Amino acid sequence: MSFSIPHNAPNFTSDQRPNENVYWGSARRTHQKDHANHGIGNSLNGLFENKSLPMYKDKPYSYATSRRQTSWYRRPGVWLAIGVLSLLNFYLIWFYLGPSARAPGKGDHEPKSTWSWLKEPSDTTADWDLRREAVKDAFKLSWDGYANHAWGMDEYHPITKSGKQMTPTGMGWIIVDALDTLMIMNLTSRLSHAREWISTSLNYNQDHEVNTFETTIRMLGGLLSAHYLSTEFPDMAPLSDDDIGKPGEDLYLEKAADLADRLLGAFDTHSGVPLASVNLKTLKGVASRDDGGASSTAEAASLQLEFKYLAMLMGEKVYWQKAEKVIEVIDNNGMQDGLLPIFIHADQGTFQGYLIRLGSRGDSYYEYLIKQYLQTSKEEPVYLELWDEALAGVRKHLITYSKRAHFTVLGERQDGLLNKLSPKMDHLVCFMPGTIALGATEGRPLAEAKKSPNWTQKQVDEMELAIELTKTCWGMYKAMSTGLAPEITHFEIKDPPQMYRHGPLSSLDTDFSASYDDSTQWREDYVIKSQDSHNLQRPETVESLFYMWRITGDVMYREWGWEMFKSFVDYSSVDEGGGFTSLLNANKIPPTKKDNMESFWLAETLKYFYLLFSPTDLLPLDTIIINTEAHIFPRFKLQRGLKTGWTRKPRDANGMIIEERRDELPTAASVASVVAEKPTVRKLRVVEATPRADGDSEVGVVTEDMPKGEAKTFSG
């Protein structure tokens, strides 16, 4: 496929541009104010030395010539300032490290914070600017550990201080994924180093298979987000290399287009559903070697935001058409109540198995429905229809409540909708409350959204569900000894379960402030199995805290985020400048560490913490859309000949496709004759039955002569 790179990227006339200019202006003033009023906190990088977590300053890797300044020792007043700071440093070391600062121990479960300044007096008002700087320091420590010990590698192991490539010459897995975080945090020197590596070392022409989904959301998404932020917000970590008219102004977009063209090979299937992997050099898609060769539903249906944004930038319809075709094929399966099995055959475009969940392999399909609707400025209502249908299905089939405290649980149906509900929640499910709130308000503050003529009881109910699910996800953290959530949580529920459709319940008052050692009845609702107690630095809960804070304005969500961040600092930090690591067991103290820093720790988790503690006019939610890897894209109007290229088939009340000639199809009563007419069928199993007004039923069956897991609906 041929394309032409635009000399200048399209200039989005966005309302947030003035807000950003104001924000960064005030941020610079705040930074100066912090050095004046909060110098102690900012000086601790070198003062409170602790071998378990040394602090780093923002060392400049390379400055553009135009940014070079007068040598520091020649500037007026420098030596006087050094003298004053030396006296201040001596006092601080004596004050914090002297005998008076050594309070008696509080037991094995009381962590010793490696950053003393994180311990704020309980009677002081929270300084969110200072807390935001704490997150930036954690990012700098993580980034510098990677840069010093594994630069250019795709994996980083902070304990052994080593790295590893995923492909022959590397994908820039960590570097590209963190580009927009560097920009948002205004870390110019580190961004310059990253950009130089991308310009000189990143080459996607490698004879190697990569995961289609992960490469799209992390690498393609990271490059597109970097292009957007560097183009629309030039004050974010400004570099002259990407200024208009400079040779490198389209670097990120050029790399993105090159990568996307390679990923398109995964879509070359009979149905249009992409294969799980693709070879970057041969451009050939590769089926999964597990799961019977099926693709993950979430992975196939979470490429749309990235490819549709690229289509708008490049004016190339093929990106758009390939992406939206996947949703059309999925929807044409006519699954009941908008809930899908987590595996799909790429060639046939039909589902495999019956496992339905919003955790791994299912999650971001649902997330991208409402986000596609918002991405194109609400000009594609089909995606809102799909989202509303799916969310109604979630409430009907998947929402139940814990036995004692009535926590809202979003469970799984492991053998289809007619079979038993499993009260299991992956941590991944915790994206859902923030996404529900986003859908209910379209990203506007709640007070503003309530004034809309479209605000109804439906949105009220959705916000209540979002609030309750956020509380459940926060409880996952509070139920653990380290204060860091497990990968998977099970719940004690009633038998039979109390379902949302029986009447929603509100959780009981819960004392989340109680220490882990205190006996609290609500904790008995959380069942943490030993094999599920690992913590992978996942972002989903802090992601929802960010959305809930921005939308409701309730400072409680910020406070929960701060407590979570402190737990990461206390228990996942690595000594000798390693940074932070995942945990093999987060339910014991000290925890067992895994020796791996996930790229989404930099791309998502720390980014969401930073945005949670930042002013609300930094990237307003009603002007942007955030992909499932926390990369920032703009909302835009349909343009350049792009439009929704498909329509839904007619559905009944349960979301099942209405056949055009129903009179020629057999009824449930005649299924036996159907079997008799097809002697090759050895087994027929009813998987769903929906009553009809005429007294008969629509029956879904599975037969052995069909592809594994393919369902047929017989109705009359």
Side-chain angles (χ1 to χ4, degrees):
M1 187 205 71
S2 62
F3 60 88
S4 58
I5 300 290
H7 180 66
N8 295 315
N11 182 21
F12 302 105
T13 55
S14 175
D15 294 338
Q16 79 259 37
R17 185 65 174 272
N19 293 333
E20 284 296 338
N21 292 338
V22 171
Y23 169 75
W24 283 113
S26 64
R28 284 190 287 270
R29 291 191 295 273
T30 300
H31 181 70
Q32 296 165 356
K33 175 183 175 183
D34 282 346
H35 277 281
N37 299 335
H38 304 294
I40 294 176
N42 287 298
S43 300
L44 289 178
N45 290 351
L47 289 177
F48 298 128
E49 266 193 55
N50 185 309
K51 292 183 179 180
S52 65
L53 186 59
M55 303 293 290
Y56 281 75
K57 294 183 179 179
D58 186 12
K59 296 180 181 179
Y61 291 105
S62 60
Y63 284 103
T65 303
S66 61
R67 300 177 196 278
R68 291 176 184 163
Q69 301 177 2
T70 306
S71 300
W72 65 271
Y73 53 82
R74 295 181 179 177
R75 295 175 189 168
V78 165
W79 291 107
L80 176 61
I82 290 175
V84 172
L85 287 174
S86 298
L87 291 173
L88 177 60
N89 289 351
F90 177 81
Y91 168 76
L92 290 172
I93 292 172
W94 173 83
F95 180 82
Y96 282 95
L97 302 182
S100 62
R102 300 191 183 109
K106 296 183 180 180
D108 292 339
H109 292 297
E110 181 67 19
K112 295 180 179 179
S113 177
T114 52
W115 290 351
S116 302
W117 58 282
L118 291 176
K119 294 184 176 180
E120 300 172 329
S122 58
D123 59 345
T124 61
T125 302
D127 187 331
W128 295 107
D129 290 336
L130 190 60
R131 291 181 174 184
R132 185 184 66 231
E133 290 303 307
V135 175
K136 183 188 290 188
D137 283 341
F139 179 93
K140 290 191 291 186
L141 181 65
S142 302
W143 179 269
D144 290 350
Y146 165 72
N148 291 333
H149 304 296
W151 181 248
M153 299 289 181
D154 294 323
E155 298 178 14
Y156 174 47
H157 308 296
I159 296 176
T160 56
K161 296 177 178 58
S162 61
K164 181 181 178 182
Q165 295 289 30
M166 296 165 51
T167 64
T169 61
M171 291 280 290
W173 205 251
I174 292 175
I175 295 173
V176 173
D177 215 8
L179 281 174
D180 54 1
T181 310
L182 289 165
M183 293 177 179
I184 291 168
M185 291 185 178
N186 213 26
L187 296 174
T188 307
S189 60
R190 290 169 174 82
L191 177 63
S192 177
H193 191 209
R195 182 184 170 87
E196 179 185 10
W197 185 89
I198 292 170
S199 177
T200 60
S201 301
L202 182 58
N203 180 4
Y204 289 122
N205 189 31
Q206 302 181 54
D207 189 6
H208 198 86
E209 297 171 13
V210 298
N211 181 276
T212 307
F213 164 74
E214 297 289 357
T215 305
T216 298
I217 66 167
R218 301 190 196 209
M219 300 297 95
L220 182 59
L223 290 166
L224 290 173
S225 181
H227 171 76
Y228 168 59
L229 294 181
S230 64
T231 302
E232 283 301 297
F233 308 108
D235 288 336
M236 284 187 177
L239 295 176
S240 61
D241 293 343
D242 55 18
D243 288 349
I244 295 176
K246 292 297 182 69
E249 68 169 306
D250 288 329
L251 172 66
Y252 302 130
L253 185 57
E254 290 170 356
K255 292 291 185 182
D258 176 45
L259 177 58
D261 288 345
R262 299 174 189 278
L263 293 170
L264 284 179
F267 294 83
D268 290 337
T269 63
H270 179 71
S271 71
V273 172
L275 293 163
S277 300
V278 64
N279 185 296
L280 291 175
K281 186 177 182 67
T282 67
L283 313 184
K284 298 294 185 181
V286 182
S288 172
R289 292 178 174 83
D290 301 313
D291 310 311
S295 297
S296 157
T297 301
E299 293 185 359
S302 303
L303 315 169
Q304 286 65 33
L305 295 180
E306 296 79 10
F307 276 92
K308 290 169 82 170
Y309 177 38
L310 181 61
M312 194 279 296
L313 286 172
M314 303 295 297
E316 288 284 353
K317 294 181 181 179
V318 64
Y319 300 131
W320 187 283
Q321 292 164 347
K322 292 286 188 181
E324 72 171 2
K325 178 64 176 178
V326 180
I327 307 301
E328 179 184 10
V329 172
I330 285 175
D331 192 52
N332 283 346
N333 277 269
M335 301 309 294
Q336 183 176 349
D337 293 326
L339 301 179
L340 314 180
I342 64 171
F343 292 108
I344 186 168
H345 293 287
D347 283 336
Q348 297 104 340
T350 55
F351 289 107
Q352 172 183 297
Y354 311 99
L355 174 53
I356 293 172
R357 68 180 178 215
L358 271 73
S360 63
R361 301 184 179 274
D363 50 359
S364 48
Y365 160 74
Y366 303 94
E367 174 188 357
Y368 271 35
L369 293 179
I370 186 61
K371 289 185 175 181
Q372 285 184 82
Y373 171 66
L374 297 174
Q375 180 185 38
T376 51
S377 303
K378 302 184 289 185
E379 291 185 336
E380 296 186 280
V382 65
Y383 296 107
L384 177 61
E385 182 181 341
L386 288 167
W387 165 254
D388 285 340
E389 184 177 290
L391 184 54
V394 167
R395 288 191 298 237
K396 179 179 177 181
H397 298 288
L398 302 183
I399 296 294
T400 186
Y401 301 92
S402 66
K403 182 184 291 185
R404 299 168 184 85
H406 299 164
F407 290 114
T408 298
V409 178
L410 204 169
E412 302 179 356
R413 296 280 181 174
Q414 297 180 350
D415 197 25
L417 295 181
L418 296 182
N419 290 290
K420 186 178 180 180
L421 177 76
S422 172
K424 166 182 172 283
M425 284 180 67
D426 295 352
H427 186 275
L428 289 165
V429 178
C430 290
F431 83 93
M432 193 61 173
T435 304
I436 293 172
L438 174 67
T441 64
E442 300 176 354
R444 296 169 293 178
L446 184 58
E448 177 184 335
K450 286 182 175 180
K451 298 176 183 178
S452 168
N454 298 323
W455 187 263
T456 65
Q457 187 61 41
K458 172 180 175 291
Q459 284 78 22
V460 173
D461 293 342
E462 289 175 358
M463 284 304 304
E464 184 58 35
L465 178 59
I467 290 168
E468 291 293 338
L469 278 173
T470 306
K471 185 176 180 180
T472 301
C473 290
W474 176 233
M476 294 179 184
Y477 286 76
K478 298 300 293 181
M480 298 285 282
S481 59
T482 60
L484 296 174
E487 180 71 359
I488 298 171
T489 302
H490 293 77
F491 292 85
E492 290 279 356
I493 62 173
K494 294 180 179 180
D495 188 13
Q498 168 75 30
M499 301 298 293
Y500 182 96
R501 65 176 180 267
H502 301 148
L505 300 178
S506 296
S507 56
L508 304 180
D509 290 338
T510 306
D511 184 11
F512 281 136
S513 64
S515 69
Y516 179 79
D517 287 331
D518 292 341
S519 177
T520 51
Q521 190 179 38
W522 66 263
R523 278 199 179 92
E524 297 177 18
D525 283 350
Y526 287 79
V527 179
I528 314 297
K529 299 182 179 181
S530 58
Q531 67 268 27
D532 302 330
S533 62
H534 48 291
N535 179 281
L536 301 182
Q537 305 173 298
R538 288 203 184 276
E540 289 77 21
T541 297
V542 68
E543 172 186 349
S544 281
L545 294 180
F546 162 67
Y547 279 106
M548 296 302 289
W549 153 248
R550 283 287 186 94
I551 289 169
T552 69
D554 190 337
V555 75
M556 172 185 69
Y557 298 115
R558 279 182 136 184
E559 294 292 355
W560 286 357
W562 177 243
E563 190 172 341
M564 186 192 304
F565 174 72
K566 290 193 294 182
S567 292
F568 275 116
V569 170
D570 286 332
Y571 294 114
S572 67
S573 59
V574 175
D575 61 3
E576 298 178 355
F580 294 83
T581 184
S582 300
L583 304 178
L584 283 171
N585 187 349
N587 208 22
K588 70 173 187 176
I589 296 177
T592 307
K593 295 182 177 178
K594 187 180 180 182
D595 193 22
N596 188 62
M597 183 192 77
E598 298 286 351
S599 75
F600 53 67
W601 168 249
L602 302 178
E604 298 188 75
T605 308
L606 290 176
K607 181 187 294 166
Y608 279 124
F609 276 126
Y610 188 81
L611 292 173
L612 176 62
F613 303 150
S614 293
T616 56
D617 57 359
L618 172 58
L619 301 173
L621 281 181
D622 57 354
T623 62
I624 61 169
I625 210 69
I626 305 176
N627 88 336
T628 197
E629 188 72 8
H631 294 311
I632 315 296
F633 303 153
R635 300 190 188 190
F636 56 86
K637 297 279 189 180
L638 291 177
Q639 55 187 281
R640 311 188 78 171
L642 301 175
K643 61 181 180 180
T644 310
W646 67 285
T647 56
R648 301 189 76 193
K649 294 181 178 180
R651 299 299 203 273
D652 63 17
N654 292 318
M656 307 296 287
I657 294 175
I658 301 173
E659 299 291 345
E660 293 181 2
R661 302 184 66 182
R662 300 172 61 90
D663 57 326
E664 295 184 3
L665 295 174
T667 65
S670 63
V671 167
S673 64
V674 174
V675 176
E677 293 169 4
K678 299 185 68 175
T680 59
V681 175
R682 297 184 299 279
K683 182 187 294 184
L684 181 146
R685 181 160 73 95
V686 175
V687 294
E688 57 187 328
T690 304
R692 294 213 322 263
D694 60 6
D696 206 339
S697 298
E698 293 182 350
V699 179
V701 300
V702 172
T703 58
E704 284 190 355
D705 67 335
M706 300 175 189
K708 184 179 179 182
E710 181 179 347
K712 298 283 187 181
T713 298
F714 295 89
S715 57

